[in-house]
Amino acid sequence: MKDTHQRFSHITISLHWLLALSMIAMLPFGLYIESLEGGPQKWGFIAQHKSFGVLILLIAALRFSWRLKNGFPKALSPVKNWEKALASFTHWFLLLGTLFMPISGIMMSMGGGYPVAVFGFEIIGKGEKNESLAQLGHIIHGLGGKILIALIILHIAAALKHQFIDKDGTLARMLGKTIDTQDPAN
Ligand code: HEM
Ligand code: HEM
């Protein structure tokens, strides 16, 4: 059940790929919606975006507690201090991004006085407008989304570097393979 240095648990692997694919789909979807003129098509897309976003928040909360309990994975090959710091910063930001994106989306909606529904099932009703909540939500959603896209590109580049240059099994471990290596803590 628990992650080891040689092998990740099914929970870690499933949650990583489920959230990775969801985020990779939701970020460009959000940018696309933002670029549309107001109208029925845009409102329809926003309703779908909100529905998927709220579901992602539930999975992300689960993953966050799982990661806190398990700690982050240790590198499989020797890394310089700056690489370790960059990887740690990126992993934290990506992890928190799966929480602050949907939360800021909800803040935006609530601040605008709009309801939040998951595929037609209303979870937050229409309310009073709150300009500052809407604005704060919009800044976090817009800026946070752009920083996330940049860090995801960096994260994928790092995974490819480990796979093709270091050839150390980092990607294989996230794909469920057992790696024949010693835990550096031992
Ligand atoms: C094709 C896309 C992706 C690939 C190939 C990929 C690959 C990997 C690999 C190989 C690791 C293990 C790193 C290690 O052992 O040190 C990892 C960890 C991680 N990845 Fe990704 N990743 C992708 C997309 C994403 C996305 C979109 C997110 C979140 C927005 C994300 C968040 C994380 C986090 C938080 C970790 C730390 C371990 C964990 O919490 O499970 N990844 N990724
Ligand atoms: C994983 C979750 C989510 C991701 C990755 C995501 C991503 C994005 C991105 C990148 C944008 C474009 C922002 C910009 O360029 O300023 C956007 C727009 C938007 N998102 Fe999200 N979002 C998520 C969840 C949510 C949730 C849960 C809600 C509301 C409950 C929401 C509501 C909105 C709204 C209303 C817009 C603006 C559309 C417009 O006015 O044109 N999002 N989203």
Side-chain angles (χ1 to χ4, degrees), residues 4-179:
T4 65
H5 187 57
Q6 291 78 14
R7 188 178 175 83
F8 288 162
S9 62
H10 292 307
I11 299 183
T12 287
I13 295 167
S14 328
L15 289 176
H16 173 267
W17 292 113
L18 185 61
L19 278 167
L21 295 181
S22 306
M23 294 299 283
I24 288 172
M26 285 290 278
L27 288 162
F29 186 34
L31 290 176
Y32 173 66
I33 298 173
E34 188 84 26
S35 73
L36 293 176
E37 293 287 329
Q41 193 200 26
K42 177 160 174 155
W43 309 138
F45 281 151
I46 289 184
Q48 285 175 8
H49 180 81
K50 286 160 89 169
S51 301
F52 282 116
V54 171
L55 293 182
I56 291 173
L57 176 60
L58 298 181
I59 307 167
L62 208 89
R63 169 145 184 247
F64 187 69
S65 43
W66 178 252
R67 188 49 57 225
L68 288 188
K69 193 168 152 247
N70 266 272
F72 280 94
K74 283 188 224 136
L76 283 168
S77 52
V79 280
K80 299 185 187 80
N81 277 344
W82 69 266
E83 283 176 316
K84 200 171 163 186
L86 186 62
S88 170
F89 170 77
T90 307
H91 285 167
W92 266 109
F93 200 96
L94 294 184
L95 191 66
L96 290 173
T98 57
L99 294 172
F100 72 63
M101 285 308 286
I103 291 173
S104 57
I106 293 171
M107 284 162 65
M108 244 192 322
S109 267
M110 285 175 72
Y114 300 108
V116 177
V118 179
F119 300 110
F121 183 79
E122 198 167 285
I123 51 163
I124 299 172
K126 232 177 154 155
E128 294 275 299
K129 276 192 184 201
N130 180 335
E131 276 298 328
S132 16
L133 183 70
Q135 244 173 30
L136 181 65
H138 202 266
I139 293 171
I140 300 174
H141 214 67
L143 189 65
K146 274 149 207 135
I147 300 176
L148 264 178
I149 292 173
L151 287 180
I152 290 171
I153 293 171
L154 182 72
H155 180 65
I156 296 175
L160 295 176
K161 175 191 173 275
H162 279 286
Q163 175 70 15
F164 295 110
I165 298 176
D166 303 335
K167 297 188 172 82
D168 60 5
T170 299
L171 184 58
R173 184 170 62 169
M174 196 42 109
L175 289 167
K177 217 171 155 243
T178 303
I179 310 300

